[in-house]
Amino acid sequence: MVFLGYLLMQAVNVLEAQPGRSELTACLTIPPVLAALQYVHFAPHLARLRQRLHPWSLILQALVTFVPFALFGWHWGGMAGFLAGSFLLRLSPVLGWSLYGLTVAGVMAISATEQLRPVDIAYMGVSTALTGLVLYSMARLAMLATAIHDSRGELARMAVARERLRFARDLHDLLGYSLSSITLKNELIQRLIISNPQRACEEVTEVLVISRQALADVREVARGYRDMSLLVEAESAGSVLKAAGIRAEIEVDCTGLSSIANTILATVLREGVTNVLRHSQPRTCSITTSADPERKGFVRLEIVNDGVGQRGLVDSDSTGTGLTNLATRAAAVGGRLHSGVDSGGSFRLVVAVPADAAAVKDGLALLTEDPGAADCCPEPPAAERRSSLESRRSA
């Protein structure tokens, strides 16, 4: 519509000059040709046609613009703005702006040969420059809007991929620990059911607690929200390690932690204990938290267990998805995770995250219902806390 408005103004300027028969014929034939060329240069869906016609379509538009201007006079000069806009849109920035400037200068030079007043010559130059800029800007705006619209599908596919990654990661991190605990305790029940039926019944009660928690974890993963307590996970880890005959040394403090940092450390603790039970036969396992000596404002969680032997360093990216997921969680909030076998033959898992870590909205970090929650350890509901304490007491 903007282009047609400018084209109508050009036709009015020509008709106002009372053209002769040849000029009137040119007025009826040249504007449709110019409109077709302009459409080819500006239409987003005609890219292949432009490639085949380039640069001949621009050369033809230059001839259609300047030949009538030179033959019939200054009132044909309004069409030069269309050519200036095409140069800016279809050529490289250096060449496009150079030809844009030459077009404006050419209009002013031809107008000067018509013995126009200086103000009229300046008007022709400014009008050509503004027309070219307006048409170029309108075309670029339409192209950008089309590109943004086309990118919506890609953004939707990326969002689906991130959600699949989150679900797979959380399902592994949450259910891996629970299923390992249930398997371990069932093996213990199998050994106790004849020799110590009372103890076996107590272990069955705790298996029920873990099963219910696993079901709650699955529901929370499906909802996309997950807050975990480092203290509660430390208590649960102590119970599971004790049931496996492993001496646990636990010193955990989550004072001053944001809910995000607390959840990440609790997730690392859960996965770390799962790896202890799956991949080693330790006698002792220590779980400690402290301020990171290397970076101020960071809190450090360290899990150390013996019984792994001298296997060299273990890369977090080569031991399955568990440690890789944990490293991704820590990195998403600016933290880091290291793991390996030290000189004493003990496996050491160390993670450090900012104490005031906040939620990251790119799908890599954990999401919580309240990213700005108070910096404290979230307490479980009263009923859950009571059943959890009862199960620890029975263990």
Side-chain angles (χ1 to χ4, degrees):
M1 294 302 296
V2 173
F3 172 75
L4 291 177
Y6 277 115
L7 203 60
L8 180 61
M9 291 172 57
Q10 173 61 44
V12 170
N13 290 335
V14 174
L15 295 176
E16 188 180 14
Q18 297 179 353
R21 178 176 298 179
S22 59
E23 187 176 358
L24 183 60
T25 302
C27 182
L28 295 176
T29 56
I30 290 179
V33 174
L34 182 62
L37 291 172
Q38 199 73 18
Y39 184 76
V40 170
H41 293 156
F42 279 56
H45 60 281
L46 295 180
R48 293 183 178 179
L49 180 60
R50 280 194 296 270
Q51 291 177 356
R52 290 199 300 266
L53 297 179
H54 185 78
W56 303 109
S57 60
L58 287 174
I59 295 174
L60 178 59
Q61 185 174 1
L63 294 175
V64 171
T65 298
F66 280 102
V67 170
F69 188 17
L71 292 177
F72 301 121
W74 64 269
H75 44 274
W76 283 83
M79 295 192 303
F82 308 148
L83 178 63
S86 297
F87 284 150
L88 292 179
L89 192 65
R90 298 272 62 94
L91 299 177
S92 63
V94 175
L95 182 59
W97 283 104
S98 299
L99 293 179
Y100 171 86
L102 288 176
T103 301
V104 175
V107 169
M108 297 180 66
I110 295 177
S111 299
T113 62
E114 298 285 330
Q115 299 181 351
L116 297 178
R117 296 177 302 170
V119 66
D120 294 329
I121 297 175
Y123 171 79
M124 293 295 295
V126 172
S127 176
T128 301
L130 290 180
T131 301
L133 289 177
V134 169
L135 293 178
Y136 167 73
S137 301
M138 293 290 291
R140 287 292 298 164
L141 179 62
M143 291 178 180
L144 292 176
T146 302
I148 292 174
H149 180 76
D150 293 341
S151 68
R152 290 179 179 176
E154 182 65 25
L155 291 175
R157 287 188 290 271
M158 292 174 61
V160 171
R162 285 197 299 267
E163 181 63 14
R164 288 175 177 171
L165 175 63
R166 180 200 66 81
F167 191 86
R169 180 198 62 206
D170 287 356
L171 198 63
H172 175 277
D173 293 346
L174 296 175
L175 288 188
Y177 172 82
S178 299
L179 296 178
S180 297
S181 302
I182 292 173
T183 301
L184 178 65
K185 287 187 174 293
N186 282 331
E187 292 174 352
L188 178 61
I189 292 170
Q190 187 180 30
R191 295 195 300 267
L192 295 175
I193 196 168
I194 297 177
S195 61
N196 193 344
Q198 180 62 30
R199 174 69 185 280
C201 291
E202 294 173 355
E203 291 295 336
V204 168
T205 302
E206 185 155 354
V207 169
L208 290 175
V209 173
I210 297 175
S211 300
R212 293 189 184 102
Q213 183 59 47
L215 179 60
D217 290 343
V218 172
R219 289 171 176 169
E220 291 181 355
V221 168
R223 288 202 310 267
Y225 301 107
R226 179 63 184 166
D227 264 342
M228 297 174 64
S229 170
L230 181 59
L231 289 181
V232 171
E233 291 301 322
E235 290 181 3
S236 178
S239 174
V240 173
L241 292 173
K242 183 179 179 181
I246 303 171
R247 183 167 60 88
E249 301 174 356
I250 300 177
E251 297 181 5
V252 171
D253 181 18
C254 65
T255 304
L257 291 180
S258 67
S259 61
I260 300 300
N262 192 25
T263 299
I264 293 176
L265 293 180
T267 305
V268 173
L269 175 57
R270 173 176 284 201
E271 178 65 21
V273 173
T274 301
N275 288 340
V276 169
L277 298 174
R278 286 178 177 174
H279 307 304
S280 63
Q281 297 177 343
R283 297 184 303 273
T284 62
C285 178
S286 66
I287 302 171
T288 59
T289 58
S290 61
D292 190 358
E294 298 181 4
R295 289 189 286 184
K296 185 178 179 181
F298 279 65
V299 63
R300 172 174 167 170
L301 172 67
E302 188 172 18
I303 304 174
V304 182
N305 67 282
D306 58 7
V308 296
Q310 294 290 342
R311 301 178 186 175
L313 292 178
V314 179
D315 187 358
S316 63
D317 292 333
S318 62
T319 57
T321 61
L323 294 181
T324 302
N325 290 343
L326 299 181
T328 300
R329 292 172 184 267
V333 295
R336 59 184 179 180
L337 181 143
H338 298 291
S339 61
V341 180
D342 59 23
S343 58
S346 297
F347 184 82
R348 191 178 301 270
L349 173 64
V350 180
V351 61
V353 297
D356 58 350
V360 178
K361 297 181 179 180
D362 62 356
L364 294 179
L366 293 175
L367 299 177
T368 62
E369 290 181 346
D370 183 12
D375 293 340
C376 63
C377 297
E379 289 292 331
E384 180 184 338
R385 185 165 60 249
R386 186 160 50 252
S387 63
S388 177
L389 292 177
E390 288 175 358
S391 64
R392 304 293 179 270
R393 195 177 298 113
S394 65

